[in-house]
Structures are given as C-alpha cells and as structure tokens.
Amino acid sequence: MLPSQSLLLDWMKILFGDCSEILQSTASSYEINLANYREFALKTAEISVTLYPWYFMPPTLHKVLIHGVSIISLKAMYEEKVKALEVEVNERETLVDVRVRQVLRKYLTDGQISLLLSGKKQVKSWTPEEMGMAFAIRYLSKRCYIYLRKQLNFPLPGISTLQRWASSIDMRQGLLKDVIHIMKVAALNLKEFEKVAVILFDEMKVEEYFLYFAADEVVGPHK
C-alpha cells in the first residue's frame, strides 16, 4: 500500500529539510554546538522512524543521524592533527632550505641558489656580479660554458643573455667597474706573477666631436 500524499510531503520535508541541514553542519568547517546537534539529529531520526516504520533507514543516514557527534569529533581531531603535521612539515622544509642555502652560498650566488631550488630554467633578472662571473667563464672557454650550463645544469645565463648584457657594458669615460669585475674573475686562475700590473698614465689625442649613447646621453666634444 502506497503512503498518502501528505505522508510523502512529510517525508520530503524531513529528507530535504532537516537532513540537509544536518549534512551541511557535519561537512562544514564552522564550530558546532554538539549538544544541539545531537538533539536535532536524534529528533529527526525519531520522527523518521515513527512516521515511516516500513522504510529501512540507509546505513549512511543512520551513521549521520545516530553517530553524527562522533563523526564531527573525529573530524575535528583529525583536522587538528593535519594542521599540526602541516606546521611541522613547513618548519622542516624551512630548516632544510636554510641549511641548503648556507652550504651552497660558499659556491653559488643567491640568484643561482634560488634557480636551483625552484627548478625553473631561468630567473627574472641576473645581478651585475652574476653576469660578470658568467661573462668571465664564457671568456675563458665557450665550450666549457655550454658544457656547464647544458650538461651539468649549472645555473648560468644563456648565451643570448650574455650578449645583451655585454652590449650594455658601460664603456664611458671614468672607472670601468664592469670591466674590472670581469678582470677580477678572469684572474682567479692566474699565477701570482701573472697578476702583476702597472698603472700607466699617458697622453692621447681625443677627437673633437659628440658621442651619443643608448641611454640618451651625449658626451663631448673633448678638447
């Protein structure tokens, strides 16, 4: 015998009303008043069993209505454990990152270390010191530079990046800081007597005309 229309409406109210609120509360991340939750869930289960004794309550619905408080308590406990584990993992990763950087800083720059740890193929920008070091290696041996970068995955700028940087080296009158840095790196493998240098002052003729630089700067005329 099929239930009357009014009974079906009552059942739909319980199923889609009270049960919906209970399921949303169980799955939510908000703090729940467990006493009120238990009372509301048990009352819903009692109404369902009283009105529809012929309907066998599904196991899932039984767990939510009868054991919902235990489920929420376990859920909260596991969430706390997960958060604690996440904090511990983050702390360990931070310690490992700091230690790795301390060790690598003896051999690499901060930009090179970040490039290695990030797993990326290039950095946003290289510092003048890093470019000067890379340019010196390229000056000593192009084949060695390519081997270091391609085969050994040593963090170095690309050849085209070096070419663009070399075209922007400041060659104006005064102290050539970029050139001095390149000379410093290039002299690392020189013997002591090969490092001996002489500062020589001499006269030279300078043409009396203007020079234009890419940085919108005009130099001269010199007399």
Short mmCIF file of all heavy atoms in Angstrom, two decimals, residues 21-65:
data_model
loop_
_atom_site.label_atom_id
_atom_site.label_comp_id
_atom_site.label_asym_id
_atom_site.label_seq_id
_atom_site.Cartn_x
_atom_site.Cartn_y
_atom_site.Cartn_z
N GLU A 21 20.16 20.08 6.49
CA GLU A 21 20.85 20.93 7.47
C GLU A 21 21.88 20.12 8.27
O GLU A 21 22.97 20.61 8.56
CB GLU A 21 19.82 21.55 8.41
CG GLU A 21 18.89 22.55 7.72
CD GLU A 21 17.89 23.16 8.69
OE1 GLU A 21 18.02 22.87 9.91
OE2 GLU A 21 17.02 23.92 8.26
N ILE A 22 21.52 18.90 8.61
CA ILE A 22 22.45 18.05 9.37
C ILE A 22 23.69 17.73 8.54
O ILE A 22 24.82 17.81 9.04
CB ILE A 22 21.73 16.76 9.82
CG1 ILE A 22 20.66 17.10 10.86
CG2 ILE A 22 22.73 15.76 10.38
CD1 ILE A 22 19.79 15.92 11.23
N LEU A 23 23.50 17.38 7.28
CA LEU A 23 24.64 17.06 6.42
C LEU A 23 25.54 18.27 6.21
O LEU A 23 26.77 18.17 6.22
CB LEU A 23 24.15 16.52 5.08
CG LEU A 23 23.47 15.14 5.11
CD1 LEU A 23 22.90 14.78 3.74
CD2 LEU A 23 24.46 14.07 5.56
N GLN A 24 24.93 19.43 6.01
CA GLN A 24 25.72 20.66 5.83
C GLN A 24 26.51 20.99 7.09
O GLN A 24 27.68 21.40 7.02
CB GLN A 24 24.81 21.82 5.46
CG GLN A 24 24.19 21.71 4.07
CD GLN A 24 23.28 22.88 3.75
OE1 GLN A 24 23.42 23.96 4.32
NE2 GLN A 24 22.34 22.67 2.85
N SER A 25 25.89 20.79 8.24
CA SER A 25 26.59 21.05 9.51
C SER A 25 27.75 20.09 9.70
O SER A 25 28.84 20.47 10.15
CB SER A 25 25.61 20.94 10.68
OG SER A 25 24.54 21.85 10.54
N THR A 26 27.53 18.83 9.34
CA THR A 26 28.58 17.82 9.51
C THR A 26 29.79 18.12 8.63
O THR A 26 30.94 17.93 9.04
CB THR A 26 28.03 16.42 9.18
OG1 THR A 26 26.87 16.17 9.97
CG2 THR A 26 29.07 15.35 9.45
N ALA A 27 29.53 18.60 7.41
CA ALA A 27 30.62 18.84 6.46
C ALA A 27 31.23 20.23 6.59
O ALA A 27 32.27 20.50 5.97
CB ALA A 27 30.11 18.65 5.04
N SER A 28 30.63 21.10 7.38
CA SER A 28 31.13 22.47 7.46
C SER A 28 32.39 22.55 8.31
O SER A 28 32.72 21.64 9.07
CB SER A 28 30.05 23.39 8.06
OG SER A 28 29.88 23.11 9.44
N SER A 29 33.09 23.67 8.16
CA SER A 29 34.31 23.90 8.94
C SER A 29 34.06 24.81 10.14
O SER A 29 35.00 25.20 10.83
CB SER A 29 35.38 24.53 8.04
OG SER A 29 34.91 25.74 7.48
N TYR A 30 32.80 25.15 10.38
CA TYR A 30 32.47 26.02 11.50
C TYR A 30 32.38 25.22 12.80
O TYR A 30 32.19 23.99 12.79
CB TYR A 30 31.13 26.73 11.25
CG TYR A 30 31.14 27.68 10.08
CD1 TYR A 30 30.61 27.31 8.86
CD2 TYR A 30 31.70 28.95 10.21
CE1 TYR A 30 30.62 28.18 7.77
CE2 TYR A 30 31.72 29.83 9.14
CZ TYR A 30 31.18 29.44 7.93
OH TYR A 30 31.20 30.30 6.87
N GLU A 31 32.52 25.92 13.90
CA GLU A 31 32.38 25.27 15.20
C GLU A 31 30.91 24.97 15.46
O GLU A 31 30.04 25.82 15.28
CB GLU A 31 32.94 26.18 16.30
CG GLU A 31 32.93 25.54 17.67
CD GLU A 31 33.56 26.44 18.72
OE1 GLU A 31 34.08 27.51 18.33
OE2 GLU A 31 33.52 26.08 19.91
N ILE A 32 30.62 23.75 15.87
CA ILE A 32 29.24 23.28 16.03
C ILE A 32 28.95 22.99 17.49
O ILE A 32 29.79 22.42 18.21
CB ILE A 32 29.00 22.01 15.18
CG1 ILE A 32 29.23 22.32 13.70
CG2 ILE A 32 27.60 21.46 15.39
CD1 ILE A 32 29.14 21.10 12.81
N ASN A 33 27.75 23.39 17.92
CA ASN A 33 27.29 23.05 19.27
C ASN A 33 26.87 21.58 19.24
O ASN A 33 25.80 21.23 18.72
CB ASN A 33 26.12 23.95 19.67
CG ASN A 33 25.72 23.78 21.12
OD1 ASN A 33 25.63 22.65 21.62
ND2 ASN A 33 25.47 24.89 21.80
N LEU A 34 27.69 20.71 19.80
CA LEU A 34 27.44 19.27 19.70
C LEU A 34 26.17 18.85 20.43
O LEU A 34 25.48 17.91 19.98
CB LEU A 34 28.65 18.50 20.24
CG LEU A 34 29.96 18.69 19.46
CD1 LEU A 34 31.07 17.86 20.08
CD2 LEU A 34 29.78 18.31 18.00
N ALA A 35 25.84 19.50 21.52
CA ALA A 35 24.63 19.14 22.27
C ALA A 35 23.39 19.41 21.43
O ALA A 35 22.48 18.56 21.32
CB ALA A 35 24.58 19.90 23.59
N ASN A 36 23.33 20.59 20.82
CA ASN A 36 22.18 20.92 19.97
C ASN A 36 22.15 20.03 18.73
O ASN A 36 21.07 19.64 18.27
CB ASN A 36 22.25 22.39 19.56
CG ASN A 36 22.02 23.33 20.73
OD1 ASN A 36 21.50 22.92 21.77
ND2 ASN A 36 22.43 24.59 20.58
N TYR A 37 23.33 19.75 18.20
CA TYR A 37 23.40 18.88 17.02
C TYR A 37 22.86 17.49 17.35
O TYR A 37 22.07 16.92 16.58
CB TYR A 37 24.84 18.79 16.53
CG TYR A 37 25.04 17.88 15.34
CD1 TYR A 37 25.02 18.39 14.04
CD2 TYR A 37 25.24 16.51 15.50
CE1 TYR A 37 25.20 17.55 12.95
CE2 TYR A 37 25.41 15.67 14.42
CZ TYR A 37 25.39 16.20 13.15
OH TYR A 37 25.56 15.37 12.07
N ARG A 38 23.28 16.93 18.50
CA ARG A 38 22.82 15.60 18.88
C ARG A 38 21.30 15.58 19.06
O ARG A 38 20.61 14.67 18.58
CB ARG A 38 23.50 15.18 20.19
CG ARG A 38 23.12 13.76 20.65
CD ARG A 38 23.54 13.56 22.10
NE ARG A 38 24.97 13.74 22.27
CZ ARG A 38 25.86 12.76 22.10
NH1 ARG A 38 25.45 11.55 21.75
NH2 ARG A 38 27.14 13.00 22.28
N GLU A 39 20.77 16.60 19.73
CA GLU A 39 19.33 16.66 19.97
C GLU A 39 18.56 16.76 18.66
O GLU A 39 17.55 16.06 18.45
CB GLU A 39 19.02 17.86 20.87
CG GLU A 39 17.54 18.01 21.20
CD GLU A 39 17.27 19.22 22.07
OE1 GLU A 39 18.26 19.89 22.47
OE2 GLU A 39 16.08 19.50 22.35
N PHE A 40 19.03 17.61 17.75
CA PHE A 40 18.34 17.80 16.48
C PHE A 40 18.41 16.54 15.62
O PHE A 40 17.41 16.13 15.00
CB PHE A 40 18.98 18.98 15.73
CG PHE A 40 18.27 19.37 14.47
CD1 PHE A 40 17.06 20.07 14.52
CD2 PHE A 40 18.78 19.03 13.23
CE1 PHE A 40 16.40 20.43 13.36
CE2 PHE A 40 18.12 19.39 12.06
CZ PHE A 40 16.93 20.09 12.13
N ALA A 41 19.56 15.88 15.59
CA ALA A 41 19.73 14.67 14.77
C ALA A 41 18.88 13.52 15.31
O ALA A 41 18.22 12.80 14.54
CB ALA A 41 21.20 14.28 14.73
N LEU A 42 18.87 13.33 16.63
CA LEU A 42 18.08 12.24 17.22
C LEU A 42 16.59 12.49 17.03
O LEU A 42 15.81 11.55 16.79
CB LEU A 42 18.41 12.09 18.70
CG LEU A 42 19.82 11.58 19.02
CD1 LEU A 42 20.04 11.52 20.53
CD2 LEU A 42 20.04 10.19 18.40
N LYS A 43 16.16 13.75 17.12
CA LYS A 43 14.75 14.06 16.92
C LYS A 43 14.36 13.78 15.47
O LYS A 43 13.26 13.25 15.20
CB LYS A 43 14.49 15.52 17.26
CG LYS A 43 13.02 15.92 17.17
CD LYS A 43 12.83 17.38 17.54
CE LYS A 43 13.18 17.61 19.01
NZ LYS A 43 12.89 19.01 19.43
N THR A 44 15.24 14.11 14.54
CA THR A 44 14.96 13.83 13.13
C THR A 44 14.86 12.33 12.89
O THR A 44 13.97 11.85 12.17
CB THR A 44 16.07 14.43 12.24
OG1 THR A 44 16.15 15.84 12.47
CG2 THR A 44 15.78 14.18 10.78
N ALA A 45 15.77 11.57 13.50
CA ALA A 45 15.73 10.11 13.34
C ALA A 45 14.46 9.54 13.96
O ALA A 45 13.83 8.62 13.40
CB ALA A 45 16.97 9.50 13.99
N GLU A 46 14.06 10.07 15.11
CA GLU A 46 12.85 9.58 15.78
C GLU A 46 11.61 9.85 14.94
O GLU A 46 10.73 8.99 14.80
CB GLU A 46 12.72 10.25 17.14
CG GLU A 46 11.54 9.77 17.96
CD GLU A 46 11.45 10.46 19.30
OE1 GLU A 46 12.37 11.24 19.62
OE2 GLU A 46 10.46 10.22 20.03
N ILE A 47 11.53 11.06 14.35
CA ILE A 47 10.38 11.39 13.51
C ILE A 47 10.33 10.46 12.30
O ILE A 47 9.27 9.96 11.91
CB ILE A 47 10.47 12.86 13.06
CG1 ILE A 47 10.29 13.79 14.26
CG2 ILE A 47 9.43 13.16 11.99
CD1 ILE A 47 10.50 15.25 13.93
N SER A 48 11.48 10.22 11.71
CA SER A 48 11.53 9.37 10.52
C SER A 48 11.08 7.95 10.84
O SER A 48 10.28 7.35 10.10
CB SER A 48 12.96 9.35 9.96
OG SER A 48 13.05 8.46 8.87
N VAL A 49 11.56 7.40 11.95
CA VAL A 49 11.20 6.02 12.32
C VAL A 49 9.73 5.94 12.74
O VAL A 49 9.03 4.96 12.43
CB VAL A 49 12.12 5.53 13.45
CG1 VAL A 49 11.65 4.17 13.97
CG2 VAL A 49 13.55 5.44 12.96
N THR A 50 9.23 6.97 13.42
CA THR A 50 7.84 6.95 13.88
C THR A 50 6.86 7.04 12.72
O THR A 50 5.86 6.31 12.66
CB THR A 50 7.60 8.11 14.86
OG1 THR A 50 8.50 8.00 15.97
CG2 THR A 50 6.16 8.10 15.38
N LEU A 51 7.14 7.95 11.80
CA LEU A 51 6.21 8.15 10.69
C LEU A 51 6.32 7.05 9.64
O LEU A 51 5.33 6.68 9.01
CB LEU A 51 6.47 9.51 10.03
CG LEU A 51 6.13 10.75 10.87
CD1 LEU A 51 6.48 12.02 10.10
CD2 LEU A 51 4.65 10.76 11.24
N TYR A 52 7.52 6.52 9.47
CA TYR A 52 7.73 5.57 8.38
C TYR A 52 8.44 4.32 8.90
O TYR A 52 9.61 4.06 8.58
CB TYR A 52 8.55 6.21 7.26
CG TYR A 52 8.05 7.59 6.90
CD1 TYR A 52 8.78 8.73 7.28
CD2 TYR A 52 6.85 7.76 6.23
CE1 TYR A 52 8.31 9.99 6.97
CE2 TYR A 52 6.38 9.02 5.92
CZ TYR A 52 7.11 10.14 6.29
OH TYR A 52 6.65 11.39 5.99
N PRO A 53 7.78 3.52 9.71
CA PRO A 53 8.42 2.30 10.21
C PRO A 53 8.68 1.28 9.11
O PRO A 53 9.50 0.38 9.28
CB PRO A 53 7.40 1.78 11.23
CG PRO A 53 6.09 2.35 10.79
CD PRO A 53 6.40 3.68 10.20
N TRP A 54 7.98 1.42 8.00
CA TRP A 54 8.13 0.49 6.89
C TRP A 54 9.39 0.77 6.07
O TRP A 54 9.79 -0.06 5.24
CB TRP A 54 6.92 0.57 5.96
CG TRP A 54 6.52 1.98 5.61
CD1 TRP A 54 5.62 2.76 6.26
CD2 TRP A 54 7.05 2.78 4.54
NE1 TRP A 54 5.53 4.00 5.68
CE2 TRP A 54 6.41 4.04 4.60
CE3 TRP A 54 7.99 2.56 3.54
CZ2 TRP A 54 6.67 5.07 3.71
CZ3 TRP A 54 8.26 3.58 2.65
CH2 TRP A 54 7.61 4.82 2.74
N TYR A 55 10.01 1.94 6.29
CA TYR A 55 11.17 2.32 5.48
C TYR A 55 12.45 1.98 6.24
O TYR A 55 12.66 2.43 7.37
CB TYR A 55 11.14 3.81 5.15
CG TYR A 55 12.31 4.28 4.31
CD1 TYR A 55 12.35 4.02 2.94
CD2 TYR A 55 13.37 4.96 4.89
CE1 TYR A 55 13.41 4.43 2.17
CE2 TYR A 55 14.45 5.38 4.13
CZ TYR A 55 14.46 5.12 2.77
OH TYR A 55 15.52 5.52 2.01
N PHE A 56 13.29 1.18 5.62
CA PHE A 56 14.56 0.80 6.25
C PHE A 56 15.57 1.93 6.03
O PHE A 56 15.94 2.24 4.90
CB PHE A 56 15.08 -0.50 5.63
CG PHE A 56 16.36 -0.99 6.26
CD1 PHE A 56 16.33 -1.62 7.51
CD2 PHE A 56 17.57 -0.81 5.63
CE1 PHE A 56 17.51 -2.06 8.09
CE2 PHE A 56 18.75 -1.25 6.21
CZ PHE A 56 18.71 -1.88 7.45
N MET A 57 16.00 2.54 7.13
CA MET A 57 16.92 3.68 7.05
C MET A 57 18.28 3.23 6.49
O MET A 57 18.86 2.26 6.98
CB MET A 57 17.13 4.30 8.43
CG MET A 57 17.98 5.57 8.41
SD MET A 57 18.18 6.28 10.06
CE MET A 57 16.49 6.75 10.42
N PRO A 58 18.78 3.91 5.46
CA PRO A 58 20.09 3.54 4.89
C PRO A 58 21.20 3.66 5.92
O PRO A 58 21.14 4.50 6.83
CB PRO A 58 20.27 4.55 3.75
CG PRO A 58 18.90 5.04 3.44
CD PRO A 58 18.16 5.02 4.74
N PRO A 59 22.24 2.82 5.81
CA PRO A 59 23.35 2.87 6.78
C PRO A 59 24.02 4.24 6.86
O PRO A 59 24.39 4.69 7.95
CB PRO A 59 24.32 1.80 6.25
CG PRO A 59 23.47 0.87 5.46
CD PRO A 59 22.40 1.72 4.85
N THR A 60 24.18 4.89 5.71
CA THR A 60 24.83 6.21 5.72
C THR A 60 24.03 7.22 6.51
O THR A 60 24.57 7.99 7.32
CB THR A 60 25.03 6.71 4.27
OG1 THR A 60 25.79 5.76 3.53
CG2 THR A 60 25.75 8.05 4.27
N LEU A 61 22.70 7.24 6.28
CA LEU A 61 21.84 8.16 7.02
C LEU A 61 21.82 7.81 8.50
O LEU A 61 21.80 8.70 9.36
CB LEU A 61 20.43 8.11 6.44
CG LEU A 61 19.43 9.12 7.01
CD1 LEU A 61 19.92 10.54 6.80
CD2 LEU A 61 18.05 8.92 6.39
N HIS A 62 21.85 6.53 8.81
CA HIS A 62 21.89 6.09 10.21
C HIS A 62 23.16 6.59 10.90
O HIS A 62 23.12 7.06 12.05
CB HIS A 62 21.82 4.56 10.26
CG HIS A 62 22.05 4.00 11.63
ND1 HIS A 62 21.05 3.94 12.59
CD2 HIS A 62 23.17 3.49 12.22
CE1 HIS A 62 21.54 3.42 13.70
NE2 HIS A 62 22.82 3.13 13.50
N LYS A 63 24.29 6.52 10.21
CA LYS A 63 25.55 6.99 10.79
C LYS A 63 25.49 8.48 11.09
O LYS A 63 25.96 8.95 12.13
CB LYS A 63 26.71 6.68 9.85
CG LYS A 63 27.03 5.21 9.73
CD LYS A 63 28.18 4.99 8.75
CE LYS A 63 28.50 3.51 8.59
NZ LYS A 63 29.60 3.29 7.61
N VAL A 64 24.91 9.24 10.15
CA VAL A 64 24.87 10.69 10.32
C VAL A 64 23.93 11.08 11.45
O VAL A 64 24.27 11.92 12.30
CB VAL A 64 24.46 11.38 9.00
CG1 VAL A 64 24.25 12.87 9.22
CG2 VAL A 64 25.50 11.14 7.93
N LEU A 65 22.74 10.47 11.49
CA LEU A 65 21.74 10.86 12.49
C LEU A 65 22.08 10.33 13.89
O LEU A 65 21.87 11.03 14.89
CB LEU A 65 20.36 10.37 12.06
CG LEU A 65 19.79 10.98 10.77
CD1 LEU A 65 18.42 10.39 10.47
CD2 LEU A 65 19.71 12.49 10.87
#
